[in-house]
């Protein structure tokens, strides 16, 4: 039962906006306190001496709360996560230690340390690009680097059990 209670549950605001991930245990407590409705369940039950209930996968607060999201820190780890550990020039997916962080506009050209100017790159592409500007050397990015928002964290958590989360995380659109 303990392992089941460690499953992550998507908590939505009363407005259906995603707020955070909570543990199964916390979700059950919120349900039992009548603070949330369950919108979707995992395909397994939580059983104890006193009760048996489905473990929710998505819960929604009955009352709206004001919640401000903190910014996602600009770090090597988060850039690699945003880029899905994929070189943004050749598209190769690699382990984190095989990837470097490349300045799209080189530093000496005024390129900043920012979400829009830093991308994951394999060592080969990074050294091929060197200090050049992309349009000078016929290399291009496979996608435009953007600053991720809070939904990014949830999107990375989705596993096979959480297909039903997609409609709330804007992943249904192709
Ligand atoms: Zn590459």
């Amino acid at each position: 039962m303990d392992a089941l209670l460690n499953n992550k549950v998507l908590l939505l605001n009363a407005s259906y906006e995603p707020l955070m991930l909570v543990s199964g245990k916390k979700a059950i407590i919120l349900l039992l306190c009548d603070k949330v409705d369950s919108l979707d369940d995992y395909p397994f039950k939580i059983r104890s001496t006193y009760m048996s209930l489905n473990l929710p996968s998505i819960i929604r607060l009955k009352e709206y709360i004001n919640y401000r999201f903190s910014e996602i820190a600009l770090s090597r780890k988060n850039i690699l996560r945003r880029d899905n550990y994929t070189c943004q020039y050749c598209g190769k997916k690699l382990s984190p230690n095989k990837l470097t962080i490349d300045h799209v506009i080189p530093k000496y050209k005024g390129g900043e340390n920012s979400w829009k100017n830093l991308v994951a790159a394999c060592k080969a592409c990074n050294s091929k690009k060197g200090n050049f500007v992309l349009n000078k050397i016929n290399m291009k990015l496979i996608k435009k680097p953007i600053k991720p928002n809070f939904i990014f964290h949830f999107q990375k958590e989705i596993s096979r059990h959480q297909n039903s989360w997609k409609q709330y995380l804007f992943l249904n659109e192709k």
Side-chain angles (χ1 to χ4, degrees):
M1 174 160 154
D2 280 353
L4 289 180
L5 288 176
N6 285 334
N7 273 290
K8 297 219 170 108
V9 178
L10 179 63
L11 173 65
L12 305 178
N13 211 337
S15 57
Y16 290 90
E17 288 160 304
L19 278 179
M20 62 182 80
L21 301 176
V22 297
S23 66
K25 188 175 175 185
K26 171 104 186 180
I28 298 276
I29 293 168
L30 288 169
L31 260 184
L32 295 178
C33 296
D34 207 26
K35 297 275 188 212
V36 295
D37 289 317
S38 170
L39 300 185
D40 194 61
D41 291 331
Y42 281 106
F44 26 76
K45 282 191 181 297
I46 302 290
R47 290 193 175 84
S48 78
T49 325
Y50 308 103
M51 58 173 193
S52 162
L53 77 169
N54 289 312
L55 179 66
S57 139
I58 305 172
I59 49 176
R60 176 180 161 240
L61 285 173
K62 291 189 171 182
E63 278 184 42
Y64 182 84
I65 56 160
N66 266 316
Y67 187 85
R68 281 180 67 89
F69 290 95
S70 52
E71 295 252 303
I72 294 171
L74 179 67
S75 65
R76 174 186 155 85
K77 193 175 142 209
N78 283 334
I79 289 166
L80 295 182
R81 283 183 81 194
R82 178 200 64 188
D83 294 343
N84 202 22
Y85 306 96
T86 302
C87 172
Q88 296 300 295
Y89 296 109
C90 69
K92 244 185 247 156
K93 194 167 178 174
L94 295 161
S95 57
N97 62 348
K98 297 230 158 68
L99 286 163
T100 61
I101 302 295
D102 181 58
H103 284 78
V104 180
I105 299 168
K107 272 194 212 161
Y108 82 99
K109 289 261 184 197
E112 294 173 335
N113 289 326
S114 70
W115 284 108
K116 289 180 177 163
N117 196 46
L118 296 171
V119 294
C122 72
K123 287 171 184 165
C125 288
N126 199 335
S127 67
K128 184 174 158 202
K129 179 170 168 285
N131 272 334
F132 293 106
V133 178
L134 288 181
N135 58 13
K136 292 255 172 10
I137 48 166
N138 203 22
M139 280 176 84
K140 58 179 184 194
L141 290 164
I142 58 176
K143 66 176 171 19
K144 200 174 165 205
I146 53 158
K147 181 180 174 180
N149 64 14
F150 67 94
I151 287 179
F152 157 82
H153 277 315
F154 303 129
Q155 289 174 337
K156 298 283 175 192
E157 290 285 343
I158 289 188
S159 66
R160 65 197 166 87
H161 285 305
Q162 283 122 6
N163 256 331
S164 58
W165 291 11
K166 288 185 181 171
Q167 59 185 311
Y168 300 102
L169 301 177
F170 316 108
L171 290 172
N172 276 347
E173 303 110 65
K174 282 269 150 69

